[in-house]
Amino acid sequence: MSVFMLVLICVLGIGFVFRDYIIDFFSYLKWRKSIDGIHNYDKIFIRSKLTELGSAGFTYSGDGLPYGRAKWFVNSIESFNRKFMPEDLEYYGYSPVRSKTELEFKEYGILLTQEGILFSEQLKEKDEKTKEYKTRSVLSPFSGLWKVVYLPNTSEIKFCYFRGASKKIKLGVNAKFAQDIVSGIQVLIDTGYTNDLKTGEIKEKLTNELKEFESTSPNFDFATSIGAASSIYAGLGNHLHDKQINSIVSASMGHGHAAEYANNLVDSIKHLFSKVEQVGQNNAKNGADRVVGSDYIQTKYCSNARNSVNAAFEKKADGGQYRYDGMQLEIPKDQYNEAIKVMEQRISEGKVKGYDNPKDAYKIIRKGNVTYEEAKLIAKGGNITSLKYDALDGAVQCLPIAGISFVITFAQAKWAGANTKEAAVSALQAGGRTLIVGTIVYAGSQQFAKIMTAKIAKQTGKKMLAETVAKRSGMVISFAIVIGPSMLDTLTGRISSQQLLKNTLVAGGGFVAGVASSAGTGALMGSVVPGAGNVAGAIVGIIGGIAGSVASKKILDNFIQDDRIEMFAQLKEEYLDVVMSVSLNDNEFTLVQKKIFDKKLESKLKDMFQHINNVGSRNYARETIIESVVEEVIASRTVVDENMLLEGIEISEREFVLAN
């Protein structure tokens, strides 16, 4: 069977299993298009339709509805009480059902409110531990409702929502009552009311700053972080190869390769505007290990100065001549003085072509930037010296990517309406994050390879290249850094597991797109314009990562709603409710808004979510976030003391006398 046929069978099989979901999804898209822009209602119309629906079959409705019992119904069920404050609801229809437990002060049944239908029932089976009847509560809000159907086979009403979600309630044998509910709610759906509740069309609007926050934060920052991380990882493999990490970790003279790497790194910082690179990867006979500007360098790191210098000469049987004509000999930093003496002796013996004055030894001997012992430590890993140079390497390699992140973030902030100072601060933070991420990825992957390559090979029985170990660990570290904050937030209850899943999938999509676009562009540009591949790959990698993240999120938005969207909507609603109930002047109103919707808003939204199951996210927002700020602003009002009051009375008396 061909691969094509196998894939086709799999696709058809998946389609068959999820056919109902797929049909519903496309039906929803069709409905959403048809309802777009339709707002055939006003508050009076909605109230009248809810009143009609309440009188269509509910036990109590209109003036006969027992308000206290309905309020207690909401208050006594945790899932309802957590979502609503009972006194904020308007009740249009209530059909209570007595509890089967004699001493339980609680009612079950169905309640119609302006927010939706609340349903709760006692089941037939009892809990084995408590011996009490199990219960089931369903909240079917009008917000986001696009279809409601009656299922006669099961006597259930099915409520269908955005992104494939659905809820069911069972009303027993009263089919007419269920059908009346379905037809009444369908009228509300057809007006555009339920769609507008979801999109916020009938919510009171905040200022442009709040709407801008809702649409832009923090998605772009997350996407930029993913793009930067993917671009960093894309360049890691080539860099590991260029610095010969396999030889550093596994070769018998690994400390010599480590010395080349460390010396080259330091020289790249010392000589910013010169060509500095390792060129010994081809292992050409008597070829240079490094190039710094116009200087070609051969690096020799042996246990003492005499051995380091002698390693650059042929054997006596072959003439004993200096093997590296026109090249400098780089030796350990701590062997420099002794190496000069040894080279002077060699020159005086006529063993260095082109030199006959022993004092010219300093022209040949080049002092390394690290000592012999430091080179051995760098090759081993797991120590401060090795970590220092690997971290410095990461910072140097990621400086261009950090610069690109700065430019992209600055431009995006300016386009979003920020002033130059605000844009610069945001861009600087983005560039700094990129630099930190790059440093951790490069240092972490190299340290892991140095420490674990031999251990992994010993445990698995298979030879593992250090470059492979480093690249794989680099991918894990890169992805972990991006998704790590979300994992921590999930563990502390500040975001949901669904949000973590969504963030992970978004990060994965962006990471793959960024790596692929960076690697492809880098290779293409490098073949056309030597030296341009890394920069071009970094730019396209970041942009590709951002684009991939945005695209992934846009797709996933159809299935998983961000926690912050619901929390932000709740915060806005509670904010409006509080500030409109308090007499604030214009300046105080503006100050309260700035203090609540500030740069720490994302953290506040996560704090709201963290309290969703105890005090409730709405209560937390109202009491801890909003009311505390309002009280603070009101407390700053000028205190009217006795002297001010007396002065006011005197002025009033004078004005009264003058007026008469």
Side-chain angles (χ1 to χ4, degrees):
M1 183 182 293
S2 69
V3 175
F4 174 77
M5 287 298 297
L6 184 61
V7 171
L8 181 61
I9 291 172
C10 290
V11 170
L12 292 174
I14 293 171
F16 179 77
V17 172
F18 295 100
R19 62 189 184 282
D20 292 337
Y21 179 84
I22 294 171
I23 292 171
D24 257 11
F25 178 72
F26 283 104
S27 297
Y28 159 69
L29 293 179
K30 183 179 179 181
W31 171 83
R32 187 66 186 271
K33 184 177 180 181
S34 68
I35 206 72
D36 188 38
I38 295 177
H39 314 290
N40 297 328
Y41 62 88
D42 55 26
K43 289 184 178 180
I44 296 175
F45 178 83
I46 296 300
R47 285 177 182 275
S48 67
K49 290 302 174 185
L50 288 172
T51 300
E52 289 177 14
L53 181 57
S55 61
F58 284 89
T59 306
Y60 301 105
S61 63
D63 294 338
L65 192 149
Y67 179 84
R69 289 169 62 187
K71 182 178 177 181
W72 179 247
F73 175 76
V74 179
N75 198 55
S76 63
I77 297 173
E78 184 181 355
S79 59
F80 299 161
N81 183 256
R82 192 169 62 235
K83 181 71 175 177
F84 303 117
M85 298 180 69
E87 57 270 20
D88 291 342
L89 292 174
E90 297 176 14
Y91 307 122
Y92 292 92
Y94 183 37
S95 292
V97 175
R98 290 178 179 176
S99 173
K100 299 175 184 177
T101 305
E102 183 178 358
L103 297 179
E104 183 180 42
F105 287 86
K106 195 173 182 180
E107 289 184 325
Y108 298 86
I110 181 170
L111 178 66
L112 172 65
T113 75
Q114 84 278 17
E115 295 287 348
I117 290 181
L118 286 61
F119 175 82
S120 182
E121 64 176 338
Q122 279 181 306
L123 304 177
K124 293 181 179 180
E125 62 268 24
K126 291 186 177 182
D127 188 282
E128 293 182 0
K129 293 182 179 179
T130 63
K131 304 302 179 182
E132 295 179 354
Y133 289 102
K134 294 182 179 180
T135 62
R136 172 175 173 264
S137 300
V138 180
L139 168 60
S140 303
F142 291 140
S143 176
L145 185 64
W146 73 276
K147 184 173 71 170
V148 57
V149 293
Y150 175 59
L151 307 174
N153 292 336
T154 57
S155 300
E156 291 177 311
I157 300 176
K158 181 180 180 181
F159 299 84
C160 303
Y161 294 91
F162 292 9
R163 303 180 179 91
S166 66
K167 297 184 178 184
K168 294 179 180 179
I169 62 174
K170 191 170 185 177
L171 300 181
V173 296
N174 196 340
K176 184 179 184 307
F177 180 36
Q179 290 169 347
D180 287 342
I181 290 178
V182 169
S183 60
I185 294 176
Q186 190 62 50
V187 171
L188 298 179
I189 293 174
D190 293 340
T191 65
Y193 174 71
T194 59
N195 177 59
D196 290 347
L197 277 175
K198 190 67 178 178
T199 59
E201 288 293 333
I202 65 172
K203 303 289 186 182
E204 292 188 62
K205 302 299 183 184
L206 292 179
T207 61
N208 291 333
E209 289 83 0
L210 298 187
K211 287 188 286 185
E212 178 186 319
F213 168 84
E214 189 171 17
S215 62
T216 60
S217 70
N219 298 328
F220 186 81
D221 288 344
F222 187 47
T224 304
S225 297
I226 296 168
S230 64
S231 186
I232 288 167
Y233 175 73
L236 178 65
N238 288 337
H239 179 68
L240 294 171
H241 180 75
D242 291 342
K243 63 175 282 187
Q244 304 178 80
I245 192 170
N246 288 334
S247 298
I248 291 175
V249 174
S250 305
S252 58
M253 295 294 288
H255 66 278
H257 295 284
E260 291 178 30
Y261 152 63
N263 287 327
N264 202 70
L265 174 60
V266 175
D267 279 341
S268 67
I269 299 172
K270 286 182 177 179
H271 308 281
L272 289 175
F273 303 103
S274 299
K275 178 183 179 182
V276 179
E277 63 177 322
Q278 290 179 253
V279 294
Q281 295 92 337
N282 57 5
N283 295 316
K285 186 177 181 180
N286 296 334
D289 291 324
R290 305 197 302 116
V291 175
V292 178
S294 59
D295 296 330
Y296 286 79
I297 303 164
Q298 175 65 216
T299 302
K300 296 295 182 185
Y301 266 59
C302 297
S303 58
N304 57 63
R306 181 166 296 278
N307 288 344
S308 295
V309 174
N310 287 342
F313 288 82
E314 296 174 343
K315 296 178 181 179
K316 286 185 178 181
D318 297 326
Q321 291 292 312
Y322 183 63
R323 292 189 290 154
Y324 306 105
D325 291 342
M327 298 184 203
Q328 293 181 335
L329 179 63
E330 185 174 59
I331 46 82
K333 184 178 181 179
D334 53 330
Q335 298 177 9
Y336 181 71
N337 292 331
E338 184 64 27
I340 290 289
K341 295 178 182 179
V342 176
M343 183 59 74
E344 287 176 345
Q345 180 183 346
R346 288 291 195 162
I347 292 174
S348 64
E349 294 172 354
K351 300 299 183 181
V352 183
K353 183 180 179 181
Y355 293 91
D356 51 18
N357 186 351
K359 292 183 179 181
D360 286 337
Y362 76 93
K363 296 180 181 179
I364 304 171
I365 297 296
R366 182 186 183 94
K367 183 194 290 187
N369 295 301
V370 296
T371 66
Y372 176 72
E373 290 300 325
E374 285 177 327
K376 291 200 297 183
L377 289 171
I378 292 169
K380 289 180 180 179
N383 57 79
I384 296 298
T385 301
S386 180
L387 182 60
K388 178 180 74 174
Y389 280 93
D390 286 345
L392 184 61
D393 180 39
V396 170
Q397 295 302 316
C398 295
L399 269 174
I401 301 176
I404 295 166
S405 294
F406 179 95
V407 172
I408 291 175
T409 304
F410 182 85
Q412 193 275 337
K414 289 293 290 182
W415 293 334
N419 60 44
T420 302
K421 182 179 179 181
E422 292 170 340
V425 170
S426 297
L428 189 62
Q429 291 173 342
R433 285 196 302 268
T434 300
L435 198 60
I436 292 171
V437 169
T439 300
I440 294 173
V441 170
Y442 272 73
S445 60
Q446 293 180 71
Q447 287 292 304
F448 192 85
K450 291 174 182 178
I451 297 170
M452 297 301 298
T453 299
K455 294 180 180 180
I456 292 173
K458 184 177 180 180
Q459 291 178 357
T460 61
K462 297 180 180 180
K463 184 178 180 180
M464 291 287 289
L465 294 176
E467 188 175 320
T468 302
V469 174
K471 285 169 66 177
R472 291 179 180 176
S473 60
M475 175 177 284
V476 174
I477 295 170
S478 301
F479 197 74
I481 290 173
V482 172
I483 207 66
S486 295
M487 294 181 67
L488 181 61
D489 282 337
T490 304
L491 293 173
T492 55
R494 301 186 78 211
I495 64 172
S496 65
S497 56
Q498 280 188 318
Q499 185 69 63
L500 174 62
L501 172 63
K502 183 175 182 179
N503 290 353
T504 303
L505 294 174
V506 169
F511 197 82
V512 171
V515 171
S517 55
S518 179
T521 304
L524 179 62
M525 289 298 296
S527 63
V528 177
V529 183
N534 291 339
V535 175
I539 294 173
V540 176
I542 293 179
I543 295 174
I546 293 173
S549 303
V550 171
S552 299
K553 186 179 185 306
K554 193 170 184 64
I555 294 171
L556 289 166
D557 279 343
N558 291 306
F559 304 97
I560 305 174
Q561 176 179 276
D562 287 336
D563 295 339
R564 64 180 297 279
I565 292 178
E566 176 60 26
M567 294 300 102
F568 186 63
Q570 290 184 17
L571 181 62
K572 285 193 301 182
E573 292 161 2
E574 295 302 316
Y575 164 76
L576 287 169
D577 192 42
V578 172
V579 297
M580 296 307 291
S581 303
V582 180
S583 297
L584 299 174
N585 60 42
D586 290 344
N587 290 335
E588 289 173 336
F589 186 92
T590 302
L591 183 59
V592 168
Q593 181 174 299
K594 286 183 177 179
K595 284 179 174 290
I596 293 174
F597 300 94
D598 57 8
K599 293 181 179 179
K600 297 180 181 179
L601 184 52
E602 280 301 322
S603 180
K604 294 175 184 177
L605 297 179
K606 290 178 180 178
D607 289 340
M608 284 176 60
F609 188 89
Q610 192 175 28
H611 290 84
I612 200 169
N613 291 322
N614 41 43
V615 300
S617 53
R618 284 183 177 275
N619 287 340
Y620 179 84
R622 191 181 188 94
E623 298 172 5
T624 306
I625 299 176
I626 303 167
E627 290 181 350
S628 61
V629 172
V630 172
E631 291 171 2
E632 177 187 342
V633 170
I634 292 176
S636 65
R637 289 175 174 174
T638 303
V639 178
V640 180
D641 57 22
E642 184 179 350
N643 292 331
M644 293 173 64
L645 185 60
L646 291 173
E647 183 182 356
I649 293 172
E650 290 176 2
I651 293 173
S652 298
E653 289 176 345
R654 287 199 301 270
E655 293 295 327
F656 180 76
V657 171
L658 290 173
N660 287 279

